[in-house]
Amino acid sequence: MTSSVRVEAPARLHLGMLAVADEGERRFGGLGASVDRPAVVIEATAADELSAEGPDAERALAFARRCQETLGLAGGAHLRIAEAIPPHVGLGSGTKLALAVAQALAALHDREVPAPELAQAVGRAARSAVGTWTFALGGLVVEGGVRRGEESPAPLLARYEVPEEWRVVLVVPSAEAGLSGVAEEEAFRRLVPSAERSATIAQLVLTSLLPALVEGQIEEFGHALTRVQQLVGDAFATVQGGRFHPRAGALVEALLRHGAAGAGQSSWGPAVYGIVGTEAAGRELARHMEEVVAGEGTVALVAFDNGGARVARS
């Protein structure tokens, strides 16, 4: 066994679903992107038994036990969670923690396990594989949805690097957490399918958002992303009290009003984001959003992450 491992897994923005309800052979599908902060950072060392310390330690320990049983990993490990992503705000905290734990344990045993297998080992990616593929690859990913009756992570359809100069202003208001667990399951059961809406989302992604990303056209990309977010938000309006989380809608409008090329809500929120083309534009937008938030939340200027999770062995 390797004696110690450090895993760093950046957060993800969930940018929308291709089909929000049961409409065909596959469900959901979606797109998202990796951002460099916040991140899960785990330091794992070989030990006689499993133990954990730091934020989300109990949750990490539960993931570790499940992973060891599923992958057949003998022995123990001590997990120190040095950094954690804020939970239940829409940044993928659970999936990134689970995958980082699984990656650390596999690396301690000198096992090379693909990200989809890691996700299955810890019970993630049953609905969305955006967190799994951004963990593996970074950048912006599009996944194809889960086939009916299957529990394997959705396949990766496309992955692109985001231009290095683009930035994200990430706003997390002080507000009630977005839906998760049983409440999330119930919300999805209540969604009403719309073939027309799904077709429009797919067209925007394929004929505007992705081509603009490839060509580095921030304005076209932002316009397409904003429209996708509006359509997805309208689909969830009946279960989350409006197009966006109750605290998110005004913030999305403020991001666009103060210069974001595109803006939206990540997953169930309340985290929102605005995308700009340069560091300078990001600083200016962040300054405006600090005034809008007025101390009732956090504002951060972050970069996209094109590398995925980082693993260091010693």
Side-chain angles (χ1 to χ4, degrees), residues 166-291:
W166 288 11
R167 293 291 183 269
V168 177
V169 173
L170 182 61
V171 183
V172 183
S174 301
E176 182 179 347
L179 296 180
S180 62
V182 174
E184 182 181 26
E185 293 289 343
E186 176 59 27
F188 273 103
R189 281 194 290 269
R190 292 165 51 195
L191 295 177
V192 179
S194 170
E196 180 180 359
R197 180 172 51 230
S198 295
T200 303
I201 292 171
Q203 182 182 30
L204 283 165
V205 171
L206 289 174
T207 66
S208 186
L209 187 147
L210 291 181
L213 176 63
V214 171
E215 294 182 344
Q217 299 292 334
I218 185 72
E219 294 299 329
E220 181 186 359
F221 177 88
H223 179 77
L225 177 58
T226 301
R227 185 62 187 135
V228 166
Q229 280 281 282
Q230 292 169 345
L231 289 166
V232 172
D234 289 344
F236 286 100
T238 58
V239 296
Q240 68 174 357
R243 174 177 279 177
F244 298 117
H245 182 286
R247 281 281 282 123
L251 295 175
V252 171
E253 293 177 3
L255 285 161
L256 293 169
R257 185 170 64 252
H258 289 295
Q265 172 181 297
S266 182
S267 188
W268 292 105
V272 298
Y273 58 86
I275 298 175
V276 295
T278 66
E279 176 83 15
R283 288 196 298 269
E284 181 69 10
L285 179 56
R287 184 181 65 80
H288 284 297
M289 293 310 297
E290 289 279 9
E291 296 174 355

Side-chain angles (χ1 to χ4, degrees), residues 126-148:
R127 181 178 297 114
S128 170
V130 166
T132 300
W133 291 117
T134 52
F135 179 90
L137 304 169
L140 184 144
V141 303
V142 182
E143 52 98 338
V146 292
R147 188 183 295 275
R148 290 180 181 276

